[in-house]
Amino acid sequence: MKKLTLGFMLFALAAATMFSSCKKDDDDDDDSKLSNLSATIKGSKFSTATAAFYSSKNAENSGTSKLGQIFSSEEGSTTIAGTENGKQLCITIKGTTKGTYNLNVSADNAVNNTLIAILSGETVQDAIKDAVNIETDAMIIYRAVGQTEGGTDYWFSTKASVNFDNSLVAYATGSFTATLTNKAKDTFEITDGSFKVFGKPAK
């Protein structure tokens, strides 16, 4: 997931720079109207135009980690990512088409504890892929730049719902909600997440 997240952050930065430049040539409107990823996180607003999406049907692009393998499927996967003021927000869904994608492991203590152990930096268990197939069509990661699994400022969802619409092919819009936790099992809710971003559709 770390390789996956970093790769998409670089893509998001490049895409946002390119589209911001085009926007300034067209008119003087606020760039954030063109591309934006936002949510209220722990009482503060995360909002950035440095965001993009990337879809792929190639399992290699889902990363080599166990979580990357979970999100590789015949349908492919999509990641929406953005960076603001030293913080990164990354949404991954198991699919490349319009729809609602959910994560819900919070009701199953065994599965939830296993997922928390992995994302807290502990050894990955061989059975994790089968164990979390209950409902794992989405994952949301929020972290400080440089934080890895197990860091106190590395947060991951145990429950999430992502509405994704890429009807315009290279431009995606949507909304998301989530319950996020960290290694210490502190939690917070996202209830107003939204995105409208350019990106690379699956081929």
Side-chain angles (χ1 to χ4, degrees), residues 17-137:
T17 301
M18 179 179 66
F19 287 115
S20 292
S21 175
C22 294
K23 178 68 173 176
K24 288 177 181 177
D25 291 339
D26 292 339
D27 54 54
D28 294 327
D29 288 345
D30 185 359
D31 287 344
S32 65
K33 294 179 181 177
L34 183 64
S35 184
N36 185 257
L37 171 64
S38 68
T40 300
I41 297 177
K42 296 190 287 184
S44 299
K45 192 70 174 180
F46 177 99
S47 181
T48 181
T50 309
F53 83 90
Y54 180 92
S55 294
S56 176
K57 291 187 177 180
N58 187 340
E60 292 178 3
N61 292 323
S62 295
T64 57
S65 69
K66 184 58 71 170
L67 283 174
Q69 294 172 30
I70 291 169
F71 282 98
S72 66
S73 66
E74 292 181 1
E75 295 78 25
S77 64
T78 298
T79 292
I80 303 111
T83 302
E84 183 202 33
N85 295 331
K87 300 288 187 178
Q88 299 173 334
L89 182 61
C90 178
I91 305 162
T92 301
I93 57 174
K94 189 186 290 185
T96 61
T97 58
K98 178 179 178 179
T100 299
Y101 299 83
N102 296 304
L103 169 74
N104 189 5
V105 298
S106 57
D108 187 307
N109 288 332
V111 173
N112 190 32
N113 289 338
T114 303
L115 184 61
I116 288 173
I118 289 173
L119 291 176
S120 294
E122 296 180 19
T123 303
V124 176
Q125 300 175 15
D126 290 338
I128 183 62
K129 186 171 183 180
D130 294 330
V132 300
N133 273 341
I134 293 174
E135 189 175 22
T136 56
D137 291 333

Side-chain angles (χ1 to χ4, degrees), residues 22 105 116 149 154 161 166:
C22 294
V105 298
I116 288 173
E149 293 90 340
Y154 183 96
S161 181
N166 61 341

Side-chain angles (χ1 to χ4, degrees), residues 42 140-142 152-156 180-182 186-188:
K42 296 190 287 184
I140 297 175
I141 302 291
Y142 176 73
T152 56
D153 206 4
Y154 183 96
W155 304 79
F156 49 91
L180 281 82
T181 190
N182 64 2
D186 300 320
T187 63
F188 68 87

